[in-house]
Amino acid sequence: MLKINNISFSYGEKQILRDFSLEICENDRLWLYGESGCGKTTLTRLLLGLEKADSGEIIKDNGFKFSCVFQENRLLPFKTALQNVMLVSDNLSLAKENLIALGLENDINTPVNQLSGGMKRRVAIARALTAEFDCLILDEAFTGLDEENIKTAIKRILEIAQSKPIILISHSSLEAELLNAQKYEL
């Protein structure tokens, strides 16, 4: 379980979140929705420990792990697709399975600087799915993918995440519908 209690956060004088609370349980599929700049990505950064809240607390079970597909791919360009995925795990078999499930079976050993934008995106998704996690965060994870690849990626996400919570940050109702995510407006 994950509980956010009265989190407030500001960038200088600009308040982004004020007394924000949310409880996330096993099997939850949440779609965080709102205008640009309302705090969706900031909330992700707070959950991941990349930012510190001005006040409030994030309560999670001991050893609770997140995996995240960020807005940016964050790949090492001269490493292969497989090498990038293996940065988060020693599970070679799962890494290959995820790349294959996402349609990259012919590009496993291709350096990512030779892949298209959509292919790089799928490598980033495969990496997040290969890491050990208790909660998966998808921050604009499907940017640059066509509908068929979005459906394929979400199918794989649901296979891997099973009963683990998923937090979707997106402006796409299609992605939320495919994940069967409950809308939560920020």
Side-chain angles (χ1 to χ4, degrees):
M1 185 186 76
L2 174 66
K3 194 170 186 177
I4 303 164
N5 278 340
N6 300 314
I7 291 287
S8 293
F9 182 85
S10 300
Y11 287 110
E13 297 295 314
K14 184 175 182 183
Q15 179 119 42
I16 304 297
L17 296 169
R18 176 178 287 138
D19 295 324
F20 178 82
S21 295
L22 181 65
E23 189 170 319
I24 301 167
C25 300
E26 187 176 325
N27 240 352
D28 278 353
R29 306 287 188 255
L30 294 178
W31 175 29
L32 298 183
Y33 180 83
E35 295 177 13
S36 294
C38 73
K40 300 179 302 289
T41 296
T42 299
L43 179 60
T44 296
R45 294 182 59 77
L46 289 164
L47 289 171
L48 296 173
L50 300 173
E51 299 283 355
K52 186 172 178 354
D54 300 333
S55 63
E57 62 183 344
I58 297 172
I59 302 166
K60 54 189 177 186
D61 293 337
N62 194 25
F64 193 90
K65 296 178 188 173
F66 291 98
S67 187
C68 183
V69 180
F70 293 93
Q71 290 181 14
E72 315 83 22
N73 293 325
R74 299 184 182 200
L75 302 172
L76 298 176
F78 296 102
K79 291 205 174 277
T80 66
L82 181 60
Q83 288 169 329
N84 269 277
V85 172
M86 293 297 297
L87 291 171
V88 298
S89 173
D90 292 332
N91 191 335
L92 178 62
S93 143
L94 180 60
K96 285 182 177 179
E97 286 173 28
N98 285 330
L99 287 165
I100 291 167
L102 293 169
L104 295 166
E105 58 276 351
N106 296 324
D107 298 291
I108 287 174
N109 294 311
T110 303
V112 294
N113 66 349
Q114 295 176 22
L115 299 176
S116 71
M119 294 165 90
K120 289 176 186 173
R121 200 71 184 133
R122 289 181 280 153
V123 172
I125 293 168
R127 182 182 56 204
L129 294 176
T130 303
E132 284 185 40
F133 64 90
D134 298 301
C135 179
L136 180 64
I137 300 173
L138 304 169
D139 189 357
E140 301 293 348
F142 308 105
T143 301
L145 297 184
D146 60 29
E147 189 173 321
E148 181 180 327
N149 278 308
I150 291 170
K151 288 178 178 177
T152 299
I154 289 177
K155 178 178 183 246
R156 184 61 178 172
I157 287 166
L158 293 172
E159 288 170 358
I160 296 292
Q162 296 179 7
S163 63
K164 297 174 183 173
I166 299 173
I167 301 170
L168 172 69
I169 298 168
S170 175
H171 294 283
S172 169
S173 58
L174 171 66
E175 295 166 11
E177 183 181 317
L178 291 170
L179 277 169
N180 195 26
Q182 177 185 355
K183 187 176 183 179
Y184 191 96
E185 192 157 358
L186 259 65

